[in-house]
Amino acid sequence: MSHDANCIFCKIVDGKIPSLKLVETEKSLAFVDIGPCAPGHSLIIPKYHAAKMHELPDDSLADILPVAKKVAIATGAAEYNVLQNNGRLAHQVVDHVHFHVIPKPSQEKGLVVGWPSTQPPKEELQKVHEKLMSQLPK
């Protein structure tokens, strides 16, 4: 199993840094975020160290969403976000894959997102589709 001795999340997995654990499986750990943007904001991390989601083995990735579902239910939030960032430009701060479950109790509390959608022509979308199809892993 991949581990990074300098990674804060690996230290949490190893019990070297305390956390407020919620759910633990063989492959995942969920705990309360210490810098929440809403009450109940929690993190789900794989025990396997990988910086970005595409570097994570599929079996570790498959274990995470059922844990996120349990945490989402536990918050009691009718509305919530599940967020996962990859890389600095995408707002990733800790270089260990992690999923946030963030309750959205009001317009002001919880995750605030800007969504700069565009309206590209159908031909441009078709080119993007073709490129993605040619690069999908088999």
Side-chain angles (χ1 to χ4, degrees), residues 1 7 10 19 32 34 37-38 42 58 64 67 83 86 88 94 106-107 109 115 125 130-131:
M1 180 171 286
C7 171
C10 287
S19 67
V32 176
I34 62 169
C37 56
S42 302
D58 287 351
I64 289 172
V67 174
L83 175 69
N86 295 279
R88 293 292 176 266
V94 178
S106 67
Q107 193 67 33
K109 291 185 180 179
W115 202 273
L125 289 174
E130 290 170 10
K131 180 181 178 186

Side-chain angles (χ1 to χ4, degrees), residues 85-108:
N85 303 323
N86 295 279
R88 293 292 176 266
L89 282 177
H91 309 287
Q92 183 179 16
V93 176
V94 178
D95 291 330
H96 184 117
V97 173
H98 55 288
F99 287 72
H100 296 260
V101 173
I102 307 168
K104 185 66 175 161
S106 67
Q107 193 67 33
E108 299 77 32

Side-chain angles (χ1 to χ4, degrees), residues 12-13 15 17-24 29-36 40-44 71:
I12 289 172
V13 167
I17 294 177
S19 67
L20 297 170
K21 291 181 185 180
L22 295 167
V23 179
E24 185 169 10
L29 177 64
F31 52 93
V32 176
D33 192 305
I34 62 169
H41 180 171
S42 302
L43 298 173
I44 298 88
V71 171

Side-chain angles (χ1 to χ4, degrees), residues 18-87:
S19 67
L20 297 170
K21 291 181 185 180
L22 295 167
V23 179
E24 185 169 10
T25 69
E26 182 184 330
K27 297 181 184 301
S28 302
L29 177 64
F31 52 93
V32 176
D33 192 305
I34 62 169
C37 56
H41 180 171
S42 302
L43 298 173
I44 298 88
I45 64 171
K47 291 182 176 180
Y48 184 101
H49 179 82
K52 295 181 179 175
M53 187 183 71
H54 70 274
E55 299 168 346
L56 195 60
D58 287 351
D59 61 336
S60 291
L61 193 56
D63 194 66
I64 289 172
L65 282 180
V67 174
K69 178 181 175 181
K70 288 179 182 180
V71 171
I73 291 168
T75 70
E79 300 182 37
Y80 59 91
N81 295 93
V82 176
L83 175 69
Q84 199 277 319
N85 303 323
N86 295 279

